[in-house]
Amino acid sequence: MDLTEGYMSNEHKEQLHAASESADPSSVSPLRISTSPKSPKVRYGKESPIKGSPTKGISPKKNNRHSHSGTDGRPKKGGCGGKGTWGGLLDMDDNHFIDSNDPNYSSSEENDKSVRKISPRFEEYKKKAAIIVEEYFATDDVVSTANELKDLEMASYSYYFVKKLISMAMDRHDKEKEMAAVLLSSLYADVIDPGQVYKGFRKLVESADDLIVDIPDTVDVLALFIARAVVDDILPPAFLKKEMDALPSGSKGIDVIKRAEKGYLSAPLHAEIIERRWGGSRNKTVEDVKGKIDNLLVEYAVSGDKKEALRCINDLKVPFFHHEIVKRAIIMAMERKKAEGKLLDLLKTASEECLINSSQISKGFTRIIDTIDDLSLDIPNAKELLQSLISKAASEGWLCASSLKAVSFQPEKKLVEDSIVRAFKAKAQSIIQEYFLTGDVLEVNSCLESENLSSIPELKAIFVKRLIMLAMDRKKREKEMASVLLSSLYFPADDVVNGFTMLIESADDIALDIPVVVEDLAMFLARAVVDDVLAPLHLEEIGGDSLRPDSVGNQVLKMARSLLNARLSGERILRCWGGGGSYTNGWAIEDVKDQIGKLLEEFESGGDTREACRCITELGMPFFHHEVVKKSLVTIIEKKNDRLWRLLDECFNMGLITPTQMTKGFGRVAESLDDLSLDVPDANQQFGSLVERARAHGWLDPSFSFNKGPHSMENGYHS
């Protein structure tokens, strides 16, 4: 048969069939013939010749650039193509059809689903989509990109744009990844139908095995794109479970879904972390967003243009931060009685139109309830007003009141006037900021004494909270200075505990402005224990029973305990911010050890006890006094000289060395007994006797344990 007429011989058909059967099924997804009415159907033949065709009855495919073979001639990885090659998975789609009037048509193709052709219209869309994505990465113009997509007038292929955009961004820098996420969020619903977004992500997950060949970190990057889409409310959380059930076992897509769900979406404060992962929110800071929220609420309260206010909320593109809108709108309604009706109506409409979801509304009200006592300082009847607003919102059906904590109307114990508290907060902030500039601890002490804090203990707790809050939002230098100041003020432990308790209880709110609050606040707590400002048991008092298991405050306490239980925790925590524990220039650890060694040698050779105690005090490192204890005990064991024991007894009686530091010192000696026994054979027996004497004097913590044989101990505490 003459092949120039567009027909295939039986031999060619057999070769084609063999080629299709030999294709690796794991590298090529099953091909389906689209029966969608939206798919373009083309009929060629005598009845419908192509306009301008010189010869009727001859298939225009003769002049088509595409191959006449039933084999897809595209390259496996999107290269230049070639005869006998297969298209990549990114090009696999449903936009193929079989034309019974095509000269290449064979009835066997109806049953052979691996032979198919691509719609020319879809081919055109793919080329234009790639160009649009490249131009967007070059220009960063969301509006132009949206207009170009609209001009294509091929909305049914939008899923491919989603797929192409993300697959191209995955192999680029964080800038392009962030741009892709922002573009999808901007186009969602307005330009790209939600169903098309869903389908695009589904196809990406299905092609994860193929993507990983060129992009080794496909699992992590694609999981982050999915998590970002869920956070941005353009992909429903149910997507994860549905795709998990639909994917074949062993597929990389399953790893992607697991990473998205457990690695990103299950983490505390996941929304803020995910949003900032690629350099976050298009250079929008939290303060910028808060400022825009304030502006739109003020403008709405004046103009009453609800449609414009809703548009502004949508344009913010921060669905995970909508609780801030709720919070600020309710507080404004409490402050401006005339604007109450408008603001409640705005929130109600935003809820009905699903612009602000129910969880964000509940979170906004919960944040107000958590800070209602502070709010009452500025709005005297804040509790009554809030309760009234909660009742109105619940009656209108846009707030689930049962999901909120009860507003407590019991007056809390307050020993100071509200006006004094407000004045002191401003004064404290000024004192702390000046200290960060000068480093003058004595000046801080002088300023606080002039405030007569001794008669008002609540103010000391407020100062502790303010000091750490300001330090957490600054660099390591200020964090170190804050810890040094805290250990130098000699506030009563109860006041420091109250200050940290206030910080822990408000940790969820602090996390919105300081994402690393867990790490920083845990380190401040641990440092306070190392500096003997707090005792380890105070951590239990700070936690109490009021914290939720999933709260940020609870995570802070867990991390603080973990830091303190680590081996050599004292030295590590001491160095955490590069400090030496002194408000001057600080000591290096080795310098401190040398100073301690020299003063002990001088005392042992006939020095004065009071002079030795003065030198220990002048070191200015109470958190490192366990080194004094350790060196003294080692010297006593090596030289069998009891003079240093009298020095330890004097330091303990003066309160210079605390039981915590004594216990740590004994614990460090216990850990080094094996080495010490090489030089002093009876070191174990001598140390056992010293432990008994120390117990008799009340030097050691009850948790300290020592056995003359093998022992299990860490940092001086029985493990």
Side-chain angles (χ1 to χ4, degrees):
M1 184 177 291
D2 187 4
L3 292 178
T4 61
E5 293 182 11
Y7 293 91
M8 297 176 63
S9 67
N10 292 332
E11 181 183 355
H12 280 80
K13 289 181 180 179
E14 288 175 3
Q15 290 175 354
L16 174 62
H17 187 66
S20 66
E21 287 183 338
S22 65
D24 182 4
S26 65
S27 64
V28 182
S29 62
L31 308 183
R32 299 180 298 277
I33 298 173
S34 174
T35 58
S36 171
K38 293 183 180 180
S39 299
K41 307 273 184 184
V42 182
R43 302 293 185 203
Y44 298 115
K46 292 183 178 181
E47 289 77 18
S48 57
I50 299 298
K51 184 177 181 181
S53 175
T55 307
K56 293 184 179 181
I58 298 177
S59 171
K61 293 289 181 181
K62 286 248 184 184
N63 298 321
N64 196 337
R65 291 184 181 181
H66 297 292
S67 170
H68 292 233
S69 165
T71 306
D72 190 335
R74 287 167 295 162
K76 185 172 182 180
K77 290 297 171 191
C80 296
K83 187 174 181 180
T85 59
W86 291 83
L89 252 177
L90 281 177
D91 295 328
M92 296 301 178
D93 48 66
D94 301 329
N95 298 280
H96 300 265
F97 63 93
I98 294 178
D99 183 5
S100 59
N101 293 320
D102 194 307
N104 292 332
Y105 169 75
S106 169
S107 60
S108 63
E109 293 181 16
E110 294 290 352
N111 298 320
D112 187 356
K113 301 280 180 86
S114 65
V115 180
R116 61 182 191 167
K117 297 183 180 181
I118 301 175
S119 159
R121 182 175 165 82
F122 183 60
E123 279 288 351
E124 179 188 2
Y125 181 88
K126 289 198 299 182
K127 292 175 183 177
K128 290 183 178 179
I131 294 171
I132 291 172
V133 173
E134 288 287 2
E135 287 181 353
Y136 171 66
F137 286 154
T139 63
D140 194 13
D141 191 337
V142 174
V143 176
S144 295
T145 303
N147 290 334
E148 287 178 11
L149 278 175
K150 288 178 181 178
D151 291 343
L152 291 179
E153 296 182 348
M154 301 185 195
S156 60
Y157 299 150
S158 295
Y159 72 89
Y160 180 82
F161 180 82
V162 175
K163 184 179 176 184
K164 190 69 174 175
L165 173 67
I166 294 176
S167 62
M168 290 176 67
M170 286 171 63
D171 202 23
R172 303 203 180 197
H173 297 296
D174 284 354
K175 176 192 172 187
E176 284 80 9
K177 293 183 178 75
E178 176 65 18
M179 288 171 66
V182 170
L183 180 62
L184 280 182
S185 181
S186 302
L187 301 179
Y188 180 78
D190 294 331
V191 179
I192 301 179
D193 185 75
Q196 293 288 314
V197 174
Y198 190 102
K199 184 177 179 181
F201 274 98
R202 177 166 58 80
K203 287 189 172 290
L204 279 164
V205 172
E206 290 172 354
S207 61
D209 292 278
D210 211 52
L211 287 169
I212 205 167
V213 175
D214 297 320
I215 308 171
D217 57 348
T218 287
V219 172
D220 187 66
V221 178
L222 185 52
L224 189 51
F225 265 112
I226 291 171
R228 176 65 177 268
V230 172
V231 166
D232 287 346
D233 280 340
I234 65 173
L235 195 65
F239 172 87
L240 303 172
K241 186 177 186 309
K242 288 182 179 178
E243 286 305 302
M244 182 72 78
D245 295 340
L247 290 166
S249 59
S251 167
K252 285 294 179 185
I254 292 179
D255 296 338
V256 171
I257 297 297
K258 286 181 178 178
R259 180 71 60 84
E261 184 175 14
K262 297 179 181 178
Y264 291 113
L265 293 172
S266 297
L269 302 173
H270 64 270
E272 288 80 359
I273 293 171
I274 291 169
E275 183 74 15
R276 298 180 182 184
R277 182 62 180 268
W278 291 320
S281 276
R282 312 277 292 173
N283 300 322
K284 287 188 293 190
T285 65
V286 172
E287 291 306 317
D288 290 338
V289 177
K290 288 181 177 179
K292 290 181 179 179
I293 291 171
D294 279 337
N295 291 338
L296 78 87
L297 290 176
V298 170
E299 186 176 339
Y300 170 69
V302 173
S303 68
D305 189 343
K306 185 165 60 176
K307 185 176 180 180
E308 176 64 15
L310 293 172
R311 186 192 65 79
C312 290
I313 292 173
N314 187 51
D315 287 348
L316 287 175
K317 302 299 182 186
V318 285
F320 59 89
F321 202 55
H322 282 170
H323 55 80
E324 184 72 18
I325 298 174
V326 177
K327 176 188 172 185
R328 290 176 181 264
I330 295 300
I331 292 175
M332 186 179 290
M334 294 164 66
E335 293 174 334
R336 305 182 182 186
K337 192 65 178 176
K338 292 182 179 179
E340 178 185 309
K342 290 181 182 178
L343 292 165
L344 290 181
D345 185 49
L346 175 66
L347 294 178
K348 179 184 177 183
T349 305
S351 174
E352 290 173 346
E353 295 184 3
C354 297
L355 184 58
I356 302 179
N357 61 42
S358 58
S359 64
Q360 292 290 309
I361 291 174
S362 296
K363 188 173 182 179
F365 274 94
T366 299
R367 289 182 60 201
I368 299 175
I369 293 172
D370 289 340
T371 58
I372 193 64
D373 292 316
D374 289 336
L375 197 58
S376 297
L377 299 177
D378 300 314
I379 307 173
N381 58 338
K383 292 182 179 181
E384 292 79 5
L385 289 173
L386 178 59
Q387 189 62 59
S388 172
L389 294 175
I390 289 174
S391 300
K392 289 179 181 178
S395 65
E396 292 175 357
W398 55 274
L399 172 67
C400 179
S402 61
S403 65
L404 305 178
K405 294 189 294 185
V407 180
S408 173
F409 289 91
Q410 295 297 324
E412 295 188 0
K413 183 180 178 182
K414 292 185 181 292
L415 301 179
V416 292
E417 295 287 339
D418 293 343
S419 58
I420 297 177
V421 172
R422 285 197 295 270
F424 178 73
K425 283 182 178 179
K427 180 71 173 177
Q429 181 147 336
S430 175
I431 292 171
I432 293 165
Q433 289 173 339
E434 185 175 347
Y435 166 68
F436 285 155
L437 292 174
T438 65
D440 193 339
V441 175
L442 297 178
E443 178 64 22
V444 175
N445 271 313
S446 175
C447 291
L448 291 178
E449 285 175 5
S450 67
E451 296 294 324
N452 192 26
L453 299 187
S454 58
S455 60
I456 313 173
E458 283 81 357
L459 296 185
K460 293 180 180 178
I462 291 172
F463 185 84
V464 171
K465 178 184 177 183
R466 183 67 61 177
L467 171 66
I468 294 173
M469 279 284 293
L470 290 174
M472 283 196 296
D473 205 24
R474 299 193 177 212
K475 297 181 180 179
K476 289 184 177 181
R477 172 182 174 272
E478 285 80 7
K479 293 182 175 74
E480 175 66 20
M481 292 176 71
S483 288
V484 170
L485 178 60
L486 198 59
S487 65
S488 305
L489 292 176
Y490 300 107
F491 281 172
D494 287 344
D495 296 331
V496 180
V497 167
N498 290 338
F500 273 105
T501 299
M502 288 190 287
L503 284 164
I504 292 293
E505 289 176 348
S506 58
D508 290 277
D509 286 336
I510 297 173
L512 298 174
D513 296 321
I514 307 174
V516 292
V517 64
V518 174
E519 294 84 352
D520 280 357
L521 190 48
M523 189 59 75
F524 271 113
L525 261 175
R527 179 66 179 268
V529 174
V530 169
D531 288 350
D532 279 336
V533 176
L534 296 175
L537 290 176
H538 283 139
L539 295 183
E540 302 299 327
E541 186 178 343
I542 291 172
D545 300 324
S546 60
L547 292 177
R548 302 190 314 275
D550 61 339
S551 67
V552 176
N554 198 43
Q555 295 173 47
V556 170
L557 290 169
K558 285 182 179 178
M559 180 171 283
R561 294 186 186 103
S562 176
L563 290 169
L564 290 167
N565 289 334
R567 183 177 176 81
L568 302 176
S569 61
E571 287 79 357
R572 290 177 179 175
I573 294 169
L574 174 64
R575 298 176 182 179
C576 64
W577 291 311
S582 171
Y583 58 84
T584 55
N585 294 323
W587 296 91
I589 295 297
E590 293 306 318
D591 292 339
V592 176
K593 290 181 177 179
D594 289 343
Q595 292 287 338
I596 291 173
K598 288 177 182 177
L599 77 86
L600 291 179
E601 285 178 11
E602 184 177 340
F603 175 77
E604 188 187 13
S605 62
D608 181 64
T609 302
R610 290 190 176 277
E611 177 65 18
C613 291
R614 186 187 64 78
C615 290
I616 293 172
T617 303
E618 287 182 351
L619 286 174
M621 300 182 73
F623 44 82
F624 204 57
H625 285 170
H626 54 79
E627 181 71 16
V628 177
V629 179
K630 178 195 170 186
K631 285 186 177 292
S632 298
L633 293 174
V634 170
T635 303
I636 292 169
I637 292 172
E638 288 179 339
K639 299 184 178 181
K640 296 181 173 59
N641 186 340
D642 221 33
R643 181 173 172 78
L644 286 173
W645 185 267
R646 293 198 294 274
L647 175 62
L648 292 179
D649 188 45
E650 181 67 19
C651 289
F652 182 80
N653 292 334
M654 290 174 60
L656 185 58
I657 298 181
T658 65
T660 301
Q661 293 295 312
M662 281 286 190
T663 304
K664 286 184 179 179
F666 272 83
R668 292 182 61 199
V669 175
E671 291 172 350
S672 62
L673 274 179
D674 291 337
D675 292 336
L676 191 58
S677 296
L678 298 177
D679 300 318
V680 185
D682 64 339
N684 258 16
Q685 289 75 16
Q686 286 195 60
F687 183 68
S689 300
L690 294 174
V691 170
E692 295 304 319
R693 290 176 64 185
R695 289 190 194 283
H697 285 75
W699 292 1
L700 301 179
D701 190 281
S703 63
F704 182 84
S705 176
F706 171 73
N707 297 318
K708 293 186 179 181
H711 49 82
S712 174
M713 192 176 308
E714 190 168 354
N715 290 335
Y717 293 92
H718 184 62
S719 59

